[in-house]
């Protein structure tokens, strides 16, 4: 009898100590999700990505793919520059050969805004499309994601799905139409992710929409399209890959991210570094170190440009699940507060700080700041980028990585810090204010930070060399 009592006592202790996370409780089976009452941080991560098909000429298969979906009204989204180039021509020929009815929308804005998103959304709603094809860089693919989302949810207001605190951050509970993404740049990885980024003009800062539901059904990664990229576009796109890899690899680990979601379906897309994302991030970083300089210096180097196109996919899978942190969070007001800077290689009529450039200019300061939390990862990244780490102490990992990044950027003739974009010390308070709402990404920094820390990071980034 005493034995049975002891067993019962132990069972009661285990029940009291058990994690109340919904996946470990019966809350899901009862149709309701109880909040985590024991765990303060998450206990799991989830890997999700679009299907990817890679190969020279693979974009010519898009007509077959769309026809197999049974789509009758297809929207092809691109921008005005690409509309007259081979990537779009190949796609139009494929759709026509497969007797697919389509309508072209070519008014996507490079570095889209809430206004340009809304124009594309209105077009999509009026067209009542049952499938979408996006041909272009991240601006085109993100715009197409947003148009698809809101056309599929016509009763929702624009800010409903926009990330908090700027928007309401409501979960996407309904389905969207199939979207096939054909990237023409090697940077954003947007063909793999459920993220759509734009400039929110009222606050002059970038924000976005993040939901696995808006991921493309398929990404057709055709390296031949990257041959049309001007050298500076290739460089800035590559810097985005570089920072996607570095930030996701050094992000707060998934099991340290708080709070534990009250329901598994509410787990964010950006979950923190994890063993699977780490593999993709490191592989992407090695490709950047080996091929980016070649891809920038020789537009006809198909091997290098193909490798960077794949690296963009690898990094996209990594950061699309792990997330990014301070470089991206700080980049949004850098791009959003642009004054007169004209970016070389971009055929646009408005002032522009390309996304990859806005991200990479803070990277030396950021990774010097975050290194104390995971010095071994920062040291590994520095070695991949060419630093000699023999005899270097862990406490110096941040300095070594920052120096490696400066050297890398110097060789690629990157502008000398934020001052070269027209910013000065007087602009730092506004840049900090534009960063504060980006907590969806900044909270994944491995090192916590204050308002003063952000000010200092911006000041350090005014000049690089």
């Amino acid at each position: 009898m005493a034995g049975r009592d002891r067993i019962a006592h132990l069972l009661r202790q285990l029940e009291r100590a058990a994690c109340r996370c919904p996946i470990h409780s019966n809350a899901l089976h009862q149709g309701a999700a109880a909040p985590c009452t024991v765990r303060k941080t998450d206990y799991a991560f989830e890997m999700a990505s679009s299907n990817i098909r890679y190969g020279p000429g693979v974009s010519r298969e898009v007509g077959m793919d769309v026809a197999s979906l049974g789509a009758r009204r297809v929207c092809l989204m691109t921008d005005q520059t690409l509309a007259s180039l081979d990537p779009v021509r190949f796609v139009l020929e494929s759709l026509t050969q497969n007797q697919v009815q389509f309508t072209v929308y070519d008014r996507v804005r490079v570095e889209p805004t809430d206004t340009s998103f809304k124009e594309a959304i209105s077009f999509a709603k009026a067209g009542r499309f049952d499938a979408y094809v996006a041909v272009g860089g991240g601006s085109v693919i993100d715009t197409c994601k947003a148009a698809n989302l809101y056309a599929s949810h016509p009763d929702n207001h624009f800010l409903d799905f926009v990330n908090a605190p700027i928007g309401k951050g409501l979960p996407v509970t309904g389905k969207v139409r199939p979207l096939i993404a054909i990237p023409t740049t090697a940077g954003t990885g947007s063909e793999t992710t459920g993220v759509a980024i734009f400039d929110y003009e009222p606050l002059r800062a970038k924000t976005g929409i993040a939901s696995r539901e808006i991921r493309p059904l398929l990404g057709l990664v055709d390296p031949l399209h990257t041959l049309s990229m001007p050298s500076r576009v290739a460089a800035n796109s590559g810097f985005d890959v570089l920072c996607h890899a570095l930030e996701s690899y050094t992000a707060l680990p998934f099991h340290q991210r708080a709070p534990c979601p009250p329901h598994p379906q509410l787990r964010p897309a950006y979950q923190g570094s994890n063993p699977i994302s780490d593999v993709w991030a490191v592989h992407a970083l090695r490709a950047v170190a080996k091929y980016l300089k070649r891809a920038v210096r020789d537009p006809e180097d198909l091997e290098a440009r193909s490798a960077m196109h794949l690296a963009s996919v690898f990094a996209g899978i990594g950061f699309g699940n792990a997330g990014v942190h301070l470089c991206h969070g700080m980049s949004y007001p850098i791009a959003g507060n642009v004054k007169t800077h004209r970016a070389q290689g971009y055929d646009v009529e408005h002032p522009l700080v390309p996304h990859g450039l806005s991200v990479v200019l803070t990277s030396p300061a950021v990774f010097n700041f975050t290194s104390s939390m995971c010095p071994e990862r920062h040291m590994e990244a520095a070695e991949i980028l060419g630093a000699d780490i023999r005899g270097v102490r862990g406490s110096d990992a941040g300095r070594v990585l920052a120096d490696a990044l400066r050297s890398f950027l110097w060789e690629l003739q990157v502008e000398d810090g934020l001052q070269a974009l027209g910013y000065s010390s007087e602009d730092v308070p506004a840049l900090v204010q534009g960063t504060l709402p980006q907590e969806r990404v900044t909270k994944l920094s491995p090192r916590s930070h204050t308002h003063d820390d952000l000010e200092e990071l911006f000041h350090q980034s005014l000049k690089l060399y």
Side-chain angles (χ1 to χ4, degrees):
M1 191 73 175
R4 287 197 298 270
D5 289 343
R6 177 172 174 75
I7 291 172
H9 174 68
L10 288 172
L11 288 173
R12 285 194 296 272
Q13 283 186 313
L14 287 170
E15 184 179 2
R16 284 194 292 270
C19 179
R20 296 298 194 266
C21 296
I23 203 68
H24 295 148
S25 71
N26 64 355
L28 286 176
H29 305 290
Q30 295 172 350
C36 284
T37 57
V38 173
R39 288 201 63 110
K40 290 186 170 26
T41 58
D42 210 340
Y43 56 91
F45 67 91
E46 178 178 339
M47 291 299 298
S49 176
S50 305
N51 298 307
I52 296 296
R53 188 184 304 148
Y54 171 86
V58 75
S59 58
R60 293 181 182 272
E61 299 178 4
V62 66
M64 172 196 72
D65 292 309
V66 174
S68 69
L69 294 171
R72 297 180 179 276
R73 296 175 60 84
V74 176
C75 176
L76 187 150
M77 285 204 173
T78 189
D79 62 42
Q80 291 185 339
T81 298
L82 278 165
S84 59
L85 299 180
D86 282 348
V88 171
R89 182 171 64 82
F90 293 157
V91 169
L92 294 178
E93 288 175 356
S94 180
L95 294 174
T96 301
Q97 289 167 3
N98 285 270
Q99 300 180 326
V100 173
Q101 299 296 315
F102 60 86
T103 303
V104 176
Y105 180 85
D106 63 1
R107 300 196 300 276
V108 171
R109 187 182 195 271
V110 177
E111 301 296 336
T113 65
D114 54 316
T115 300
S116 70
F117 263 21
K118 289 173 183 176
E119 290 172 354
I121 290 166
S122 296
F123 182 86
K125 286 181 176 179
R128 298 181 178 272
F129 302 109
D130 49 16
Y132 294 82
V133 176
V135 184
S139 296
V140 172
I141 299 172
D142 286 3
T143 299
C144 197
K145 290 175 185 175
N148 186 10
L149 171 64
Y150 288 96
S152 302
H153 298 76
D155 295 332
N156 283 94
H157 297 292
F158 181 72
L159 289 178
D160 284 354
F161 298 125
V162 173
N163 298 324
I166 291 176
K168 295 181 180 179
L170 298 180
V172 178
T173 55
K175 295 297 182 182
V176 299
R177 300 297 188 180
L179 189 162
I180 297 176
I182 303 177
T184 58
T185 60
T188 67
S190 185
E191 67 276 7
T192 69
T193 73
V195 177
I197 301 297
F198 64 95
D199 284 310
Y200 187 60
E201 293 173 300
L203 294 181
R204 299 190 59 146
K206 281 190 184 288
T207 183
I209 302 162
S211 171
R212 294 183 182 90
E213 295 298 328
I214 66 172
R215 281 198 322 270
L217 173 68
L218 173 66
L220 296 177
V221 183
D222 188 337
L224 295 179
H225 294 335
T226 65
L227 297 179
S228 63
M229 275 195 300
S231 290
R232 293 323 300 173
V233 177
N236 292 325
S237 299
F239 297 147
D240 204 16
V241 180
L242 170 66
C243 289
H244 284 158
L246 284 173
E247 289 175 73
S248 63
Y249 191 52
T250 59
L252 187 75
F254 76 94
H255 54 81
Q256 294 179 21
R257 193 195 76 252
C260 179
H263 192 293
Q265 291 180 337
L266 298 179
R267 184 169 287 118
Y270 287 179
Q271 303 161 87
S273 62
N274 60 76
I276 300 179
S277 284
D278 289 349
V279 173
W280 294 102
V282 171
H283 196 67
L285 186 58
R286 293 188 187 281
V288 169
K290 183 176 181 179
Y291 291 108
L292 179 56
K293 293 174 188 176
R294 282 174 51 185
V296 172
R297 291 167 180 165
D298 182 4
E300 299 301 318
D301 188 338
L302 181 59
E303 180 188 17
R305 293 227 164 174
S306 298
M308 284 305 302
H309 216 187
L310 267 182
S312 176
V313 174
F314 297 155
I317 296 172
F319 92 86
N321 293 281
V324 288
H325 54 83
L326 288 176
C327 291
H328 271 75
M330 295 170 66
S331 78
Y332 298 150
I334 293 172
N337 286 275
V338 60
K339 300 175 183 179
T340 60
H341 182 73
R342 298 283 178 171
Q344 181 182 348
Y346 293 80
D347 186 16
V348 296
E349 297 179 355
H350 53 273
L352 173 70
V353 178
H355 174 63
L357 180 62
S358 70
V359 170
V360 82
L361 287 178
T362 62
S363 63
V366 164
F367 291 110
N368 192 29
F369 174 77
T370 59
S371 64
S372 61
M373 303 309 295
C374 45
E376 69 290 341
R377 292 193 173 216
H378 289 68
M379 192 80 80
E380 181 183 1
E383 184 177 29
I384 291 172
L385 291 175
D388 183 354
I389 64 169
R390 288 174 297 181
V392 177
R393 297 175 300 176
S395 58
D396 291 327
R399 176 186 59 79
V400 173
L401 178 53
D403 287 345
L405 285 165
R406 288 191 190 94
S407 176
F408 196 79
L409 301 182
W410 171 264
E411 288 190 54
L412 287 169
Q413 300 179 319
V414 174
E415 289 87 336
D416 188 11
L418 298 179
Q419 285 183 347
L421 307 185
Y423 291 108
S424 68
S425 298
E426 295 178 356
D427 297 306
V428 167
L431 295 174
V432 172
Q433 287 303 314
T435 304
L436 295 177
Q438 311 302 333
E439 59 183 35
R440 178 182 66 93
V441 294
T442 56
K443 70 181 181 182
L444 289 174
S445 169
R447 179 178 172 183
S448 60
H449 52 278
T450 65
H451 184 284
D452 290 345
D453 290 329
L454 292 174
E455 278 196 349
E456 180 60 25
L457 291 173
F458 276 117
H459 279 294
Q460 292 177 13
S461 301
L462 287 171
K463 188 171 177 61
L464 287 184
Y465 313 121

